[in-house]
Amino acid sequence: MTDISRRALLAGAAAALPFASAFGAEEPKAPGLNAHAKLKGMFYGAAVSGDALANDAALMEHVFAESGMVVSENAFKWSDIHPEAEKYDFSGADALMKWAGAHRIPVRGHTLVWHEANPAWLEPALSKTTAEKILRDHIKTVVGRYAGKLVHWDVVNEVIHEEDHKPLALRDTPWFRALGPAYIDIAFNATAAADPNALRVINEFGVDYGIDWQMRKRDQLLALCADLLHRKVPVQAVGLQAHLDAGEIAIDQKGLARFVADIASLGLKIIVTEFDVRDQSLPASVAARDTAIAAHGRAWLDAVLPNPAVLGVLSWGLSDRASWLNTKFPRPDGLSQRPLPLDAELNRKKLWSAMAASFDTVPPHGPQKS
Ligand code: XIL
């Protein structure tokens, strides 16, 4: 971790008493999730949407109280930041940087290469002769603009998809079709050149459960990381999205811990990047859902967090008032899902307590380098 980001982390935690009035008349709330994580040398943070940033001051106050890092849900993706071939739009990304700067909270960047959230112009523009320059220019422009200001970059996102039957189980994407596996090398090298100090992350989902395809995917991700490192591609960390499902089978804590240890043994750090716990296959009862979600999330965190290579946890949003899961995996009964630490009224839920308890019970991690 750079001195600047360490100072920002400390300042963020020290100032996190937003509920005390100017005259100290109100009791401050109990310490936020980041304060719990920080005691163990980790951080907690949350994804923030452009809508929350612009329109939901109450939610943002809670983001400030709970978080030691933020990430934009969409503003750094190609569709938002590079909407036309010759036009960048930094307004959404800059708005988050401004808020985070004012609140002295470090920001991570998400994401430079993904097969989703791409503007209409991009795919037709990619060919064997054009793709490398388009990718390098984008990374130079975007990473360069925020160089020294972002603590991490998700350089590539969700690149494994064995059903596509490509080498290294890589996903068949427009980038792959134009450049083959080399697009990953290009992306990491260009990011390192544009901002040597932001931690470079390969971000992936679907490695959370001891079911066949996910166990294979764990091995595929490890093999890909080993291959990249062997070829001196400058990947530094694995991002585990951790979009969990409380209706899924129990967490295979031993297998999951071994997987995390295998990542660490490659010399890579681990960041939990998009933690949430969906409940669309559970009955309606709020109390029962909240209990199951908390237990499920706790089991996953308890298996992963003890590894000293884990730097921290971000959830994909903070409050149930806004989660992507209600669009992506709507409940059949139309009720809202309850995947995040705070409920829609911004009260701490059982999942909040489970996360805090998981931070509280892990052994302290050593001094961090990010
Ligand atoms: C999601 C956002 O939350 C939504 O607002 C958007 O419509 C689609 O993308 N994995 C990722 C994230 O890496 O970027 C996705 O975010 C959720 C799944």
Side-chain angles (χ1 to χ4, degrees):
M1 178 176 296
T2 61
D3 280 354
I4 291 173
S5 56
R6 191 186 305 279
R7 274 202 303 278
L9 269 171
L10 292 171
L17 299 171
F19 300 94
S21 76
F23 305 101
E26 293 169 35
E27 283 298 305
K29 275 222 172 180
L33 285 173
N34 186 55
H36 287 263
K38 202 164 165 289
L39 285 173
K40 301 306 172 68
M42 291 185 279
F43 63 81
Y44 164 78
V48 171
S49 70
D51 184 48
L53 201 53
N55 303 317
D56 196 340
L59 175 56
M60 292 310 296
E61 197 170 316
H62 284 263
V63 170
F64 177 57
E66 300 283 355
S67 306
M69 192 175 294
V70 289
V71 60
S72 175
E73 212 175 319
N74 292 306
F76 290 77
K77 293 173 182 170
W78 279 71
S79 48
D80 275 44
I81 213 165
H82 199 166
E84 292 166 35
E86 304 303 331
K87 186 178 157 244
Y88 288 85
D89 178 354
F90 298 110
S91 56
D94 284 355
L96 183 70
M97 298 307 290
K98 189 173 168 202
W99 182 89
H103 293 80
R104 303 178 70 80
I105 296 183
V107 186
R108 66 189 314 272
H110 171 84
T111 176
L112 297 167
V113 178
W114 195 25
H115 60 286
E116 289 186 31
N118 288 320
W121 67 268
L122 183 61
E123 182 168 353
L126 296 180
S127 73
K128 285 186 175 25
T129 50
T130 59
E132 179 168 350
K133 182 170 169 11
I134 290 173
L135 184 54
R136 284 190 186 281
D137 285 351
H138 177 87
I139 290 176
K140 194 174 174 194
T141 304
V142 175
V143 177
R145 180 179 179 89
Y146 300 106
K149 296 181 182 148
L150 294 178
V151 288
H152 311 155
W153 264 112
D154 286 338
V155 179
V156 297
N157 194 31
E158 305 183 346
V159 298
I160 292 177
H161 192 59
E162 67 175 2
E163 289 90 330
D164 291 344
H165 302 290
K166 298 295 176 198
L168 289 162
L170 289 175
R171 188 184 292 274
D172 188 10
T173 69
W175 292 113
F176 182 90
R177 286 191 287 281
L179 295 168
Y183 81 87
I184 298 179
D185 308 27
I186 294 166
F188 274 99
N189 283 313
T191 304
D195 184 359
N197 294 321
L199 190 78
R200 294 176 293 275
V201 182
I202 177 168
N203 199 39
E204 196 46 88
F205 76 101
V207 288
D208 307 299
Y209 295 100
I211 53 179
D212 286 349
W213 73 270
Q214 298 213 1
M215 289 197 292
R216 286 197 304 277
K217 195 165 177 181
R218 289 175 184 171
D219 290 342
Q220 290 154 0
L221 181 56
L222 288 165
L224 175 59
C225 289
D227 179 74
L228 294 172
L229 290 166
H230 178 70
R231 291 184 300 101
K232 307 260 186 287
V233 176
V235 55
Q236 297 173 306
V238 169
L240 303 176
Q241 291 188 2
H243 292 296
L244 307 182
D245 181 348
E248 184 52 86
I249 58 159
I251 303 292
D252 67 323
Q253 287 187 304
K254 279 200 177 130
L256 185 57
R258 195 177 323 115
F259 169 57
V260 171
D262 287 344
I263 298 171
S265 71
L266 293 173
L268 298 172
K269 300 296 185 194
I270 294 131
I271 301 159
V272 181
T273 50
E274 304 182 16
F275 183 84
D276 54 20
V277 188
R278 59 185 180 265
D279 64 46
Q280 82 276 9
S281 61
L282 296 183
S285 157
V286 165
R289 275 194 280 157
D290 281 0
T291 301
I293 286 164
H296 196 79
R298 173 93 197 253
W300 192 95
L301 292 170
D302 281 355
V304 171
L305 299 191
N307 193 299
V310 177
L311 300 180
V313 177
L314 298 104
S315 51
W316 205 242
L318 177 64
S319 152
D320 294 343
R321 65 170 56 177
S323 164
W324 73 301
L325 293 167
N326 290 317
T327 318
K328 180 77 176 179
F329 302 102
R331 282 182 59 91
D333 58 12
L335 293 176
S336 286
Q337 301 221 37
R338 303 180 59 81
L340 292 164
L342 305 186
D343 69 15
E345 286 73 45
L346 304 173
N347 301 305
R348 291 172 174 174
K349 293 160 54 197
K350 286 179 182 162
L351 181 60
W352 187 97
S353 305
M355 295 171 75
S358 188
F359 288 129
D360 290 348
T361 49
V362 296
H365 290 199
Q368 289 184 25
K369 199 174 175 307
S370 66

